[in-house]
Amino acid sequence: QVQLVESGGGSVQTGGSLRLSCAVSEFTYCMAWFRQAPGKEREGVAYITSGGSTNYAISVKGRFTISRDSAKNTLYLQMNSLKPEDTAMYYCALSARTWCSLDVSSMHNWGKGTLVTISS
């Protein structure tokens, strides 16, 4: 069974940066980051395909960068210019499909999450 383990969450002030990592036992075509804020639904943040194509939610475009290191079996999310509204539990996920989407229902495996808290 595929395992995903996130790390790198923490508490930073507005304008700060964090880099999240996700150790994956097996890479698939589509890898993604999602987040869920308290009282809100889980939402897609960014995805990356095995070919390196990326897509971002409008709310994070220009501030977040997703990347993957196949040699290390690790997925990353570099988060810059963080805002209080970025506060959430962040999850990495993968899809066994041959296409990519930021739709929660398109993912097949999930990590347990890492908490990101941004203070003003």
Side-chain angles (χ1 to χ4, degrees):
Q1 182 161 346
V2 179
Q3 293 185 328
L4 303 91
V5 180
E6 303 94 336
S7 61
S11 184
V12 299
Q13 292 187 327
T14 297
S17 298
L18 283 172
R19 188 176 81 156
L20 305 183
S21 299
C22 177
V24 185
S25 60
E26 179 184 344
F27 266 9
T28 61
Y29 175 77
C30 181
M31 306 290 299
W33 287 96
F34 289 76
R35 67 185 181 185
Q36 187 166 18
K40 295 189 176 182
E41 293 186 352
R42 193 170 297 189
E43 63 176 2
V45 174
Y47 73 63
I48 185 167
T49 70
S50 58
S53 296
T54 59
N55 189 37
Y56 297 89
I58 292 174
S59 59
V60 306
K61 191 172 288 188
R63 300 188 297 123
F64 291 11
T65 302
I66 189 171
S67 61
R68 57 196 285 173
D69 186 332
S70 298
K72 296 182 178 180
N73 270 22
T74 303
L75 179 71
Y76 300 101
L77 185 68
Q78 177 67 44
M79 307 187 296
N80 299 327
S81 303
L82 284 161
K83 306 174 181 180
E85 51 264 43
D86 294 318
T87 294
M89 186 72 81
Y90 282 71
Y91 301 89
C92 67
L94 63 83
S95 170
R97 304 180 195 276
T98 56
W99 48 268
C100 236
S101 167
L102 289 177
D103 189 342
V104 171
S105 65
S106 70
M107 296 294 150
H108 295 101
N109 295 87
W110 296 85
K112 293 184 178 181
T114 185
L115 183 63
V116 171
T117 304
I118 312 302
S119 57
S120 57

